Amino acid sequence: MTNTSATSAPEKLLPGWLLLLGALTAIGSLSIDMYLPSFPTIAQQFGVGSNLVQLTLAAFLVGLAVGQMFYGPLSDRFGRKPPLYVGMTLYLLGSLACMVSQDVTALILFRFLQGLGGCAGMVIGRAVIRDRLGTTGAAKAFSLMMLVMGLAPILAPLIGGAVLKLWGWRVIFGGLAGFGLFCLLAIHYTMQETLDRHKAEPLHLGRTLKQYGRLLLDRQFVAYSLVGGLIQGGMFAYITGSSFVLIELHGIKPEHFGFVFGTNAFGLIAASQINARLVGKYSLDTILGRALWIPAMLSLSVALLVACGVNSLPVLLVGFFGFLASYGFISPNASAIALSQQGKQAGVASALMGTLQFALGITSGISMSLWHDGTALPLMVVMAICGVGGLLLHRFVARPEHQRLLQKAPQT
């Protein structure tokens, strides 16, 4: 269902409203990547194993996934801005609570609260783009937004490592609280409401559940959401396990960890900007289908090498870089196609897509926490399952359904 009021592309190369949405969406990445170098320090300070510290990441992802289910319907009813006020306030309070946590249990709880608030910007950001742009324009906007989002995984580990060395891990969460306050003020003073109040959907539990039910029966929406989610799941496996593999297993210093992480994020940014140029020349599904081969083949190859006893740091780094860079092609196009028919319920659809994708991220993160054998094998196996799974799901489910709908469209 096409949004007739939507334009085909962002009016400028990187307009201010897209910069703000990028910052709001980057909250998730910033809140994860900035404290990754602190994992060994937090484990030592609380006297627990690294697998329990990894559960603080899983709790944050659970908060991100659960919260989106509420913000989507709320934004379709009350507009895009009011739920953002609630979410960002909750994020600010959760960040401050994390800063003063006295044990790992409290940190896990407050990370969940932090995720519950921070997800508001992620789900509503996608809805705003769908409000303003058509399918191809949305794909370009998602790619351009990654230019802003990509700064988080480049800068956050570097800043986090420096802050950890100078002041300790608690100050990291103080910085996240400050960023939350900045976003809250930016939303209030610069963001325009994009939901037409005359088209606002009534908020009713039964109606909302029916909307979610209809979306779950939409094969194109679910398939493309899961394709993007599987690759995101592999990325979260990397995020969860990389600090152990790189810092503890291969001896990279925490303050240098950010350089490795940032290199991979730079690959993601570069790929997303190339994708923004390609979407005007090739179909979104064609780009997506070709890009999915990269994480599938690389992660499978590296997993087999690690299983055979090849514990080479350069091999791992090549696998990590290729997997994460490919996400710059995969995420924008999978998201744009998934939301292309959901104009009247963009908030709910964006919420469900985010929940499905983060559910896969949670699964991969928990798998990393439970399967901890002191090697890189658990990480690479989970990444390979996600990479190959995304390729197969697209080839045998998503693409056939997309082509069926395209053939049917001229007849309607």
Side-chain angles (χ1 to χ4, degrees):
M1 189 174 297
T2 304
N3 185 356
T4 56
S5 64
T7 56
S8 60
E11 61 273 14
K12 296 191 294 184
L13 178 61
L14 195 58
W17 64 270
L18 201 53
L19 280 170
L20 176 57
L21 294 184
L24 291 172
T25 306
I27 282 178
S29 178
L30 190 68
S31 303
I32 293 169
D33 302 337
M34 198 167 178
Y35 93 126
L36 282 180
S38 304
F39 272 26
T41 303
I42 295 172
Q44 184 179 21
Q45 187 172 118
F46 286 152
V48 297
S50 60
N51 59 322
L52 284 180
V53 179
Q54 289 174 356
L55 287 178
T56 65
L57 174 57
F60 181 75
L61 295 177
V62 171
L64 289 178
V66 171
Q68 293 188 63
M69 297 293 288
F70 296 95
Y71 292 117
L74 288 173
S75 73
D76 280 343
R77 173 63 183 89
F78 298 108
R80 308 308 184 196
K81 291 181 69 172
L84 281 174
Y85 290 138
V86 175
M88 294 313 303
T89 300
L90 196 59
Y91 175 83
L92 173 60
L93 295 175
S95 299
L96 292 173
C98 288
M99 184 174 66
V100 298
S101 297
Q102 296 302 309
D103 55 56
V104 73
T105 303
L107 185 59
I108 290 171
L109 174 63
F110 293 136
R111 283 288 283 171
F112 171 78
L113 182 66
Q114 193 186 31
L116 203 62
C119 67
M122 303 171 68
V123 61
I124 295 174
R126 289 191 297 263
V128 169
I129 288 176
R130 186 61 188 85
D131 288 340
R132 300 183 65 139
L133 302 169
T135 303
T136 301
K140 290 183 178 180
F142 286 132
S143 296
L144 291 172
M145 196 165 64
M146 278 194 169
L147 186 60
V148 181
M149 292 168 52
L151 291 176
I154 290 177
L155 298 178
L158 295 173
I159 296 172
V163 171
L164 172 67
K165 188 174 182 180
L166 292 173
W167 299 295
W169 64 269
R170 295 182 186 277
V171 179
I172 293 174
F173 287 102
L176 292 174
F179 184 74
L181 178 61
F182 168 79
C183 289
L184 193 58
L185 294 173
I187 292 165
H188 182 71
Y189 289 108
T190 68
M191 183 176 176
Q192 295 181 353
E193 181 59 63
T194 59
L195 180 69
D196 185 345
R197 295 303 179 111
H198 298 291
K199 297 180 180 179
E201 297 287 343
L203 187 63
H204 186 274
L205 179 60
R207 179 186 175 88
T208 300
L209 292 176
K210 286 181 180 179
Q211 283 181 298
Y212 281 131
R214 286 194 295 268
L215 284 169
L216 287 172
L217 295 176
D218 187 326
R219 286 171 60 89
Q220 174 172 280
F221 171 79
V222 172
Y224 280 94
S225 295
L226 292 180
V227 166
L230 281 166
I231 306 305
Q232 182 171 291
M235 185 174 69
F236 276 119
Y238 161 77
I239 291 170
T240 304
S242 61
S243 61
F244 167 77
V245 171
L246 297 177
I247 296 175
E248 297 188 39
L249 200 59
H250 287 280
I252 292 178
K253 294 181 179 180
E255 58 266 30
H256 296 157
F257 174 76
F259 291 106
V260 176
F261 213 84
T263 300
N264 294 329
F266 177 79
L268 187 152
I269 291 175
S272 68
Q273 301 318 294
I274 294 171
N275 183 73
R277 295 180 178 273
L278 291 178
V279 294
K281 300 177 181 179
Y282 304 97
S283 73
L284 306 187
D285 194 62
T286 297
I287 300 170
L288 176 63
R290 292 177 181 176
L292 282 165
W293 283 95
I294 300 172
M297 294 299 100
L298 271 178
S299 58
L300 183 60
S301 300
V302 176
L304 290 173
L305 288 172
V306 172
C308 293
V310 179
N311 296 310
S312 168
L313 180 59
V315 168
L316 289 172
L317 293 179
V318 169
F320 293 156
F321 181 84
F323 196 105
L324 267 71
S326 68
Y327 189 67
F329 293 105
I330 294 166
S331 178
N333 298 319
S335 298
I337 297 175
L339 294 175
S340 62
Q341 305 294 317
Q342 312 303 331
K344 286 188 176 180
Q345 51 185 4
V348 172
S350 177
L352 184 57
M353 181 173 71
T355 299
L356 291 172
Q357 293 181 343
F358 276 96
L360 292 170
I362 293 165
T363 302
S364 66
I366 292 176
S367 298
M368 291 300 306
S369 299
L370 297 178
W371 183 15
H372 187 75
D373 65 355
T375 73
L377 186 61
L379 171 59
M380 294 316 307
V381 168
V382 172
M383 290 180 69
I385 290 172
C386 291
V388 174
L391 175 66
L392 295 177
L393 180 62
H394 176 261
R395 188 173 182 84
F396 295 107
V397 180
R399 172 172 283 176
E401 179 64 15
H402 183 59
Q403 291 176 340
R404 184 186 71 82
L405 291 176
L406 288 178
Q407 291 172 357
K408 182 180 178 181
Q411 302 173 6
T412 61

Short mmCIF file of all heavy atoms in Angstrom, two decimals, residues 298-363:
data_model
loop_
_atom_site.label_atom_id
_atom_site.label_comp_id
_atom_site.label_asym_id
_atom_site.label_seq_id
_atom_site.Cartn_x
_atom_site.Cartn_y
_atom_site.Cartn_z
N LEU A 298 31.37 -16.36 4.10
CA LEU A 298 32.50 -15.99 4.97
C LEU A 298 32.39 -16.65 6.35
O LEU A 298 33.36 -17.25 6.84
CB LEU A 298 32.58 -14.48 5.12
CG LEU A 298 33.41 -13.71 4.09
CD1 LEU A 298 33.34 -12.22 4.36
CD2 LEU A 298 34.86 -14.18 4.10
N SER A 299 31.23 -16.51 6.97
CA SER A 299 31.08 -17.06 8.33
C SER A 299 31.18 -18.58 8.32
O SER A 299 31.78 -19.17 9.23
CB SER A 299 29.75 -16.62 8.94
OG SER A 299 28.66 -17.03 8.13
N LEU A 300 30.63 -19.22 7.30
CA LEU A 300 30.71 -20.68 7.22
C LEU A 300 32.16 -21.13 7.04
O LEU A 300 32.61 -22.09 7.68
CB LEU A 300 29.84 -21.19 6.06
CG LEU A 300 29.77 -22.71 5.88
CD1 LEU A 300 29.19 -23.36 7.13
CD2 LEU A 300 28.91 -23.06 4.67
N SER A 301 32.90 -20.44 6.18
CA SER A 301 34.30 -20.78 5.94
C SER A 301 35.15 -20.62 7.20
O SER A 301 35.94 -21.51 7.55
CB SER A 301 34.87 -19.93 4.81
OG SER A 301 34.16 -20.12 3.61
N VAL A 302 34.96 -19.48 7.89
CA VAL A 302 35.75 -19.24 9.10
C VAL A 302 35.37 -20.24 10.21
O VAL A 302 36.24 -20.72 10.95
CB VAL A 302 35.57 -17.78 9.59
CG1 VAL A 302 36.32 -17.56 10.90
CG2 VAL A 302 36.08 -16.81 8.53
N ALA A 303 34.09 -20.56 10.33
CA ALA A 303 33.66 -21.53 11.33
C ALA A 303 34.31 -22.89 11.09
O ALA A 303 34.75 -23.56 12.04
CB ALA A 303 32.13 -21.66 11.31
N LEU A 304 34.37 -23.31 9.84
CA LEU A 304 35.00 -24.59 9.52
C LEU A 304 36.49 -24.56 9.83
O LEU A 304 37.06 -25.54 10.35
CB LEU A 304 34.77 -24.92 8.04
CG LEU A 304 33.33 -25.28 7.65
CD1 LEU A 304 33.20 -25.41 6.14
CD2 LEU A 304 32.89 -26.56 8.34
N LEU A 305 37.15 -23.44 9.55
CA LEU A 305 38.58 -23.32 9.85
C LEU A 305 38.84 -23.38 11.35
O LEU A 305 39.76 -24.06 11.81
CB LEU A 305 39.13 -22.01 9.27
CG LEU A 305 39.28 -21.96 7.75
CD1 LEU A 305 39.64 -20.54 7.30
CD2 LEU A 305 40.35 -22.94 7.28
N VAL A 306 38.00 -22.67 12.13
CA VAL A 306 38.16 -22.68 13.58
C VAL A 306 37.89 -24.08 14.13
O VAL A 306 38.60 -24.56 15.03
CB VAL A 306 37.22 -21.65 14.24
CG1 VAL A 306 37.22 -21.79 15.77
CG2 VAL A 306 37.62 -20.24 13.85
N ALA A 307 36.89 -24.77 13.59
CA ALA A 307 36.59 -26.13 14.03
C ALA A 307 37.74 -27.08 13.74
O ALA A 307 37.93 -28.07 14.46
CB ALA A 307 35.31 -26.63 13.34
N CYS A 308 38.51 -26.77 12.71
CA CYS A 308 39.67 -27.60 12.35
C CYS A 308 40.93 -27.19 13.11
O CYS A 308 42.02 -27.71 12.83
CB CYS A 308 39.92 -27.53 10.85
SG CYS A 308 38.63 -28.29 9.85
N GLY A 309 40.81 -26.25 14.02
CA GLY A 309 41.94 -25.87 14.85
C GLY A 309 42.72 -24.66 14.37
O GLY A 309 43.79 -24.35 14.92
N VAL A 310 42.23 -23.96 13.36
CA VAL A 310 42.90 -22.76 12.86
C VAL A 310 42.45 -21.57 13.70
O VAL A 310 41.36 -21.05 13.52
CB VAL A 310 42.60 -22.52 11.37
CG1 VAL A 310 43.30 -21.25 10.89
CG2 VAL A 310 43.02 -23.72 10.53
N ASN A 311 43.30 -21.14 14.64
CA ASN A 311 42.95 -20.03 15.53
C ASN A 311 43.72 -18.78 15.14
O ASN A 311 44.45 -18.19 15.94
CB ASN A 311 43.24 -20.41 16.98
CG ASN A 311 42.37 -21.56 17.46
OD1 ASN A 311 41.15 -21.52 17.28
ND2 ASN A 311 42.98 -22.58 18.04
N SER A 312 43.57 -18.37 13.90
CA SER A 312 44.31 -17.24 13.36
C SER A 312 43.51 -15.96 13.54
O SER A 312 42.36 -15.86 13.10
CB SER A 312 44.61 -17.47 11.88
OG SER A 312 45.07 -16.30 11.26
N LEU A 313 44.14 -14.95 14.15
CA LEU A 313 43.47 -13.66 14.32
C LEU A 313 43.15 -13.00 12.98
O LEU A 313 42.03 -12.50 12.80
CB LEU A 313 44.33 -12.73 15.18
CG LEU A 313 43.76 -11.33 15.45
CD1 LEU A 313 42.41 -11.40 16.14
CD2 LEU A 313 44.75 -10.51 16.27
N PRO A 314 44.06 -12.98 12.00
CA PRO A 314 43.72 -12.37 10.71
C PRO A 314 42.52 -13.03 10.03
O PRO A 314 41.69 -12.34 9.42
CB PRO A 314 45.00 -12.56 9.87
CG PRO A 314 46.09 -12.60 10.88
CD PRO A 314 45.51 -13.32 12.06
N VAL A 315 42.39 -14.35 10.14
CA VAL A 315 41.26 -15.05 9.55
C VAL A 315 39.96 -14.59 10.20
O VAL A 315 38.96 -14.31 9.53
CB VAL A 315 41.42 -16.58 9.69
CG1 VAL A 315 40.12 -17.30 9.34
CG2 VAL A 315 42.55 -17.08 8.80
N LEU A 316 39.97 -14.49 11.53
CA LEU A 316 38.78 -14.02 12.24
C LEU A 316 38.43 -12.59 11.84
O LEU A 316 37.25 -12.28 11.62
CB LEU A 316 39.02 -14.09 13.75
CG LEU A 316 39.07 -15.48 14.38
CD1 LEU A 316 39.52 -15.38 15.83
CD2 LEU A 316 37.72 -16.17 14.31
N LEU A 317 39.45 -11.73 11.75
CA LEU A 317 39.19 -10.33 11.42
C LEU A 317 38.58 -10.17 10.03
O LEU A 317 37.70 -9.34 9.82
CB LEU A 317 40.48 -9.52 11.54
CG LEU A 317 41.05 -9.39 12.95
CD1 LEU A 317 42.34 -8.58 12.93
CD2 LEU A 317 40.04 -8.74 13.89
N VAL A 318 39.04 -10.97 9.08
CA VAL A 318 38.48 -10.92 7.72
C VAL A 318 37.01 -11.36 7.76
O VAL A 318 36.14 -10.74 7.12
CB VAL A 318 39.28 -11.81 6.76
CG1 VAL A 318 38.55 -11.97 5.43
CG2 VAL A 318 40.66 -11.21 6.51
N GLY A 319 36.74 -12.42 8.50
CA GLY A 319 35.35 -12.89 8.62
C GLY A 319 34.45 -11.87 9.27
O GLY A 319 33.33 -11.62 8.80
N PHE A 320 34.93 -11.25 10.35
CA PHE A 320 34.15 -10.22 11.03
C PHE A 320 33.86 -9.03 10.10
O PHE A 320 32.74 -8.54 10.02
CB PHE A 320 34.89 -9.71 12.27
CG PHE A 320 35.02 -10.73 13.37
CD1 PHE A 320 36.05 -10.63 14.31
CD2 PHE A 320 34.13 -11.79 13.49
CE1 PHE A 320 36.18 -11.56 15.32
CE2 PHE A 320 34.26 -12.74 14.50
CZ PHE A 320 35.29 -12.62 15.43
N PHE A 321 34.90 -8.58 9.41
CA PHE A 321 34.75 -7.40 8.55
C PHE A 321 33.74 -7.66 7.44
O PHE A 321 32.84 -6.84 7.20
CB PHE A 321 36.10 -7.02 7.95
CG PHE A 321 36.02 -5.79 7.07
CD1 PHE A 321 36.09 -4.52 7.62
CD2 PHE A 321 35.89 -5.91 5.69
CE1 PHE A 321 36.00 -3.39 6.82
CE2 PHE A 321 35.80 -4.79 4.88
CZ PHE A 321 35.85 -3.53 5.44
N GLY A 322 33.86 -8.79 6.76
CA GLY A 322 32.95 -9.09 5.66
C GLY A 322 31.51 -9.23 6.12
O GLY A 322 30.58 -8.75 5.46
N PHE A 323 31.31 -9.87 7.26
CA PHE A 323 29.96 -10.08 7.78
C PHE A 323 29.31 -8.74 8.11
O PHE A 323 28.17 -8.46 7.69
CB PHE A 323 30.01 -10.97 9.02
CG PHE A 323 28.68 -11.56 9.41
CD1 PHE A 323 28.41 -12.90 9.17
CD2 PHE A 323 27.69 -10.80 10.02
CE1 PHE A 323 27.18 -13.46 9.52
CE2 PHE A 323 26.47 -11.34 10.38
CZ PHE A 323 26.22 -12.68 10.12
N LEU A 324 30.02 -7.90 8.86
CA LEU A 324 29.43 -6.63 9.29
C LEU A 324 29.27 -5.66 8.13
O LEU A 324 28.28 -4.92 8.08
CB LEU A 324 30.27 -6.01 10.40
CG LEU A 324 29.79 -6.38 11.81
CD1 LEU A 324 30.11 -7.85 12.12
CD2 LEU A 324 30.42 -5.49 12.87
N ALA A 325 30.23 -5.63 7.20
CA ALA A 325 30.11 -4.71 6.07
C ALA A 325 28.88 -5.06 5.23
O ALA A 325 28.16 -4.17 4.76
CB ALA A 325 31.37 -4.76 5.22
N SER A 326 28.62 -6.33 5.05
CA SER A 326 27.48 -6.75 4.22
C SER A 326 26.15 -6.29 4.81
O SER A 326 25.17 -6.11 4.08
CB SER A 326 27.46 -8.28 4.07
OG SER A 326 27.17 -8.91 5.31
N TYR A 327 26.11 -6.06 6.12
CA TYR A 327 24.88 -5.60 6.76
C TYR A 327 24.46 -4.24 6.22
O TYR A 327 23.27 -3.91 6.22
CB TYR A 327 25.10 -5.53 8.27
CG TYR A 327 23.85 -5.28 9.07
CD1 TYR A 327 22.84 -6.24 9.13
CD2 TYR A 327 23.67 -4.11 9.80
CE1 TYR A 327 21.69 -6.02 9.87
CE2 TYR A 327 22.53 -3.88 10.55
CZ TYR A 327 21.53 -4.84 10.59
OH TYR A 327 20.39 -4.62 11.32
N GLY A 328 25.41 -3.46 5.71
CA GLY A 328 25.10 -2.17 5.11
C GLY A 328 24.30 -2.28 3.83
O GLY A 328 23.59 -1.34 3.44
N PHE A 329 24.40 -3.41 3.13
CA PHE A 329 23.57 -3.68 1.96
C PHE A 329 22.26 -4.36 2.35
O PHE A 329 21.22 -4.12 1.74
CB PHE A 329 24.31 -4.60 0.98
CG PHE A 329 25.51 -3.99 0.33
CD1 PHE A 329 26.78 -4.37 0.73
CD2 PHE A 329 25.38 -3.05 -0.67
CE1 PHE A 329 27.91 -3.82 0.14
CE2 PHE A 329 26.49 -2.49 -1.28
CZ PHE A 329 27.77 -2.87 -0.87
N ILE A 330 22.31 -5.21 3.36
CA ILE A 330 21.18 -6.08 3.68
C ILE A 330 20.09 -5.36 4.47
O ILE A 330 18.91 -5.41 4.11
CB ILE A 330 21.68 -7.32 4.46
CG1 ILE A 330 22.58 -8.17 3.55
CG2 ILE A 330 20.51 -8.14 4.99
CD1 ILE A 330 23.38 -9.21 4.29
N SER A 331 20.46 -4.68 5.55
CA SER A 331 19.46 -4.07 6.43
C SER A 331 18.57 -3.03 5.75
O SER A 331 17.34 -3.11 5.86
CB SER A 331 20.16 -3.46 7.65
OG SER A 331 19.22 -2.83 8.49
N PRO A 332 19.13 -2.05 5.02
CA PRO A 332 18.24 -1.04 4.41
C PRO A 332 17.25 -1.63 3.43
O PRO A 332 16.07 -1.25 3.42
CB PRO A 332 19.22 -0.09 3.70
CG PRO A 332 20.53 -0.30 4.37
CD PRO A 332 20.55 -1.74 4.76
N ASN A 333 17.70 -2.57 2.60
CA ASN A 333 16.81 -3.12 1.57
C ASN A 333 15.79 -4.08 2.14
O ASN A 333 14.62 -4.06 1.74
CB ASN A 333 17.66 -3.81 0.50
CG ASN A 333 18.59 -2.83 -0.20
OD1 ASN A 333 18.20 -1.71 -0.50
ND2 ASN A 333 19.82 -3.24 -0.43
N ALA A 334 16.19 -4.92 3.09
CA ALA A 334 15.23 -5.83 3.72
C ALA A 334 14.17 -5.04 4.48
O ALA A 334 12.97 -5.36 4.42
CB ALA A 334 15.97 -6.78 4.66
N SER A 335 14.58 -3.97 5.18
CA SER A 335 13.62 -3.15 5.94
C SER A 335 12.66 -2.44 5.00
O SER A 335 11.45 -2.39 5.27
CB SER A 335 14.38 -2.13 6.80
OG SER A 335 15.19 -2.77 7.75
N ALA A 336 13.17 -1.86 3.92
CA ALA A 336 12.33 -1.12 2.98
C ALA A 336 11.28 -2.02 2.34
O ALA A 336 10.11 -1.65 2.20
CB ALA A 336 13.18 -0.45 1.92
N ILE A 337 11.68 -3.22 1.93
CA ILE A 337 10.73 -4.14 1.31
C ILE A 337 9.71 -4.62 2.34
O ILE A 337 8.50 -4.71 2.05
CB ILE A 337 11.46 -5.35 0.67
CG1 ILE A 337 12.37 -4.88 -0.46
CG2 ILE A 337 10.45 -6.36 0.14
CD1 ILE A 337 13.23 -5.97 -1.06
N ALA A 338 10.16 -4.91 3.56
CA ALA A 338 9.24 -5.39 4.60
C ALA A 338 8.16 -4.36 4.90
O ALA A 338 7.00 -4.71 5.13
CB ALA A 338 10.03 -5.73 5.86
N LEU A 339 8.52 -3.07 4.91
CA LEU A 339 7.58 -2.01 5.28
C LEU A 339 6.84 -1.43 4.08
O LEU A 339 5.97 -0.56 4.25
CB LEU A 339 8.32 -0.89 6.01
CG LEU A 339 8.92 -1.24 7.37
CD1 LEU A 339 9.74 -0.07 7.91
CD2 LEU A 339 7.83 -1.63 8.37
N SER A 340 7.15 -1.89 2.88
CA SER A 340 6.63 -1.24 1.67
C SER A 340 5.11 -1.27 1.56
O SER A 340 4.51 -0.39 0.95
CB SER A 340 7.25 -1.89 0.42
OG SER A 340 6.90 -3.26 0.33
N GLN A 341 4.46 -2.29 2.13
CA GLN A 341 3.01 -2.40 2.03
C GLN A 341 2.29 -2.00 3.31
O GLN A 341 1.11 -2.31 3.48
CB GLN A 341 2.64 -3.86 1.69
CG GLN A 341 3.31 -4.41 0.44
CD GLN A 341 2.85 -3.71 -0.82
OE1 GLN A 341 1.66 -3.44 -0.99
NE2 GLN A 341 3.79 -3.39 -1.71
N GLN A 342 3.01 -1.33 4.24
CA GLN A 342 2.45 -1.10 5.58
C GLN A 342 2.26 0.38 5.90
O GLN A 342 2.40 0.80 7.04
CB GLN A 342 3.38 -1.73 6.63
CG GLN A 342 3.80 -3.15 6.35
CD GLN A 342 2.64 -4.11 6.19
OE1 GLN A 342 1.57 -3.89 6.79
NE2 GLN A 342 2.82 -5.15 5.41
N GLY A 343 1.90 1.19 4.90
CA GLY A 343 1.80 2.64 5.10
C GLY A 343 0.86 3.07 6.20
O GLY A 343 1.17 3.97 6.97
N LYS A 344 -0.33 2.46 6.31
CA LYS A 344 -1.32 2.90 7.30
C LYS A 344 -1.03 2.41 8.71
O LYS A 344 -1.65 2.87 9.66
CB LYS A 344 -2.72 2.41 6.88
CG LYS A 344 -3.30 3.21 5.72
CD LYS A 344 -4.74 2.83 5.49
CE LYS A 344 -5.37 3.70 4.40
NZ LYS A 344 -6.79 3.35 4.16
N GLN A 345 -0.12 1.47 8.84
CA GLN A 345 0.22 0.94 10.16
C GLN A 345 1.73 0.85 10.30
O GLN A 345 2.27 -0.14 10.79
CB GLN A 345 -0.43 -0.43 10.38
CG GLN A 345 -0.18 -1.42 9.26
CD GLN A 345 -0.94 -2.71 9.46
OE1 GLN A 345 -1.73 -2.87 10.39
NE2 GLN A 345 -0.68 -3.68 8.60
N ALA A 346 2.41 1.93 9.89
CA ALA A 346 3.87 1.94 9.89
C ALA A 346 4.44 1.75 11.28
O ALA A 346 5.46 1.07 11.45
CB ALA A 346 4.39 3.24 9.27
N GLY A 347 3.80 2.34 12.30
CA GLY A 347 4.31 2.21 13.65
C GLY A 347 4.24 0.78 14.16
O GLY A 347 5.21 0.25 14.69
N VAL A 348 3.09 0.15 13.99
CA VAL A 348 2.91 -1.23 14.43
C VAL A 348 3.83 -2.17 13.65
O VAL A 348 4.47 -3.06 14.23
CB VAL A 348 1.44 -1.67 14.27
CG1 VAL A 348 1.28 -3.15 14.55
CG2 VAL A 348 0.56 -0.86 15.22
N ALA A 349 3.90 -1.97 12.33
CA ALA A 349 4.76 -2.82 11.50
C ALA A 349 6.23 -2.66 11.88
O ALA A 349 6.97 -3.65 11.99
CB ALA A 349 4.55 -2.49 10.03
N SER A 350 6.66 -1.43 12.10
CA SER A 350 8.04 -1.19 12.50
C SER A 350 8.33 -1.83 13.85
O SER A 350 9.41 -2.38 14.07
CB SER A 350 8.30 0.33 12.57
OG SER A 350 9.60 0.60 13.03
N ALA A 351 7.35 -1.76 14.75
CA ALA A 351 7.52 -2.36 16.07
C ALA A 351 7.68 -3.87 15.98
O ALA A 351 8.58 -4.45 16.60
CB ALA A 351 6.32 -2.02 16.95
N LEU A 352 6.81 -4.50 15.20
CA LEU A 352 6.88 -5.96 15.08
C LEU A 352 8.16 -6.39 14.38
O LEU A 352 8.80 -7.37 14.78
CB LEU A 352 5.66 -6.49 14.33
CG LEU A 352 5.57 -8.02 14.21
CD1 LEU A 352 5.60 -8.69 15.58
CD2 LEU A 352 4.32 -8.42 13.45
N MET A 353 8.56 -5.65 13.35
CA MET A 353 9.81 -5.97 12.66
C MET A 353 10.98 -5.88 13.63
O MET A 353 11.83 -6.78 13.68
CB MET A 353 10.03 -5.03 11.48
CG MET A 353 11.31 -5.34 10.71
SD MET A 353 11.49 -4.35 9.20
CE MET A 353 11.82 -2.74 9.91
N GLY A 354 11.02 -4.80 14.42
CA GLY A 354 12.11 -4.65 15.39
C GLY A 354 12.10 -5.76 16.43
O GLY A 354 13.15 -6.28 16.81
N THR A 355 10.90 -6.14 16.89
CA THR A 355 10.81 -7.19 17.90
C THR A 355 11.29 -8.53 17.34
O THR A 355 12.03 -9.26 18.01
CB THR A 355 9.36 -7.31 18.40
OG1 THR A 355 8.98 -6.07 19.00
CG2 THR A 355 9.23 -8.42 19.43
N LEU A 356 10.86 -8.86 16.13
CA LEU A 356 11.31 -10.11 15.51
C LEU A 356 12.81 -10.13 15.35
O LEU A 356 13.47 -11.14 15.64
CB LEU A 356 10.62 -10.29 14.15
CG LEU A 356 9.12 -10.57 14.16
CD1 LEU A 356 8.57 -10.53 12.73
CD2 LEU A 356 8.82 -11.92 14.80
N GLN A 357 13.36 -9.02 14.90
CA GLN A 357 14.80 -8.97 14.65
C GLN A 357 15.60 -9.02 15.94
O GLN A 357 16.61 -9.72 16.02
CB GLN A 357 15.14 -7.72 13.83
CG GLN A 357 14.58 -7.77 12.42
CD GLN A 357 14.92 -6.54 11.60
OE1 GLN A 357 15.30 -5.50 12.13
NE2 GLN A 357 14.76 -6.64 10.29
N PHE A 358 15.14 -8.29 16.95
CA PHE A 358 15.88 -8.31 18.21
C PHE A 358 15.68 -9.61 18.97
O PHE A 358 16.52 -9.99 19.79
CB PHE A 358 15.51 -7.10 19.06
CG PHE A 358 16.30 -5.88 18.71
CD1 PHE A 358 15.78 -4.95 17.83
CD2 PHE A 358 17.57 -5.69 19.20
CE1 PHE A 358 16.51 -3.82 17.47
CE2 PHE A 358 18.32 -4.58 18.84
CZ PHE A 358 17.79 -3.64 17.98
N ALA A 359 14.56 -10.30 18.72
CA ALA A 359 14.39 -11.63 19.30
C ALA A 359 15.49 -12.57 18.80
O ALA A 359 16.04 -13.38 19.57
CB ALA A 359 13.02 -12.19 18.96
N LEU A 360 15.82 -12.44 17.53
CA LEU A 360 16.92 -13.24 16.99
C LEU A 360 18.25 -12.80 17.58
O LEU A 360 19.13 -13.63 17.86
CB LEU A 360 16.96 -13.11 15.46
CG LEU A 360 15.78 -13.76 14.73
CD1 LEU A 360 15.78 -13.38 13.26
CD2 LEU A 360 15.84 -15.28 14.88
N GLY A 361 18.40 -11.48 17.80
CA GLY A 361 19.61 -10.98 18.45
C GLY A 361 19.74 -11.50 19.87
O GLY A 361 20.84 -11.88 20.31
N ILE A 362 18.62 -11.53 20.60
CA ILE A 362 18.62 -12.06 21.96
C ILE A 362 19.02 -13.53 21.96
O ILE A 362 19.83 -13.98 22.78
CB ILE A 362 17.23 -11.89 22.60
CG1 ILE A 362 16.92 -10.41 22.80
CG2 ILE A 362 17.14 -12.64 23.93
CD1 ILE A 362 15.46 -10.15 23.07
N THR A 363 18.44 -14.29 21.03
CA THR A 363 18.74 -15.72 20.95
C THR A 363 20.22 -15.96 20.71
O THR A 363 20.85 -16.81 21.35
CB THR A 363 17.92 -16.38 19.83
OG1 THR A 363 16.53 -16.17 20.08
CG2 THR A 363 18.19 -17.87 19.76
#
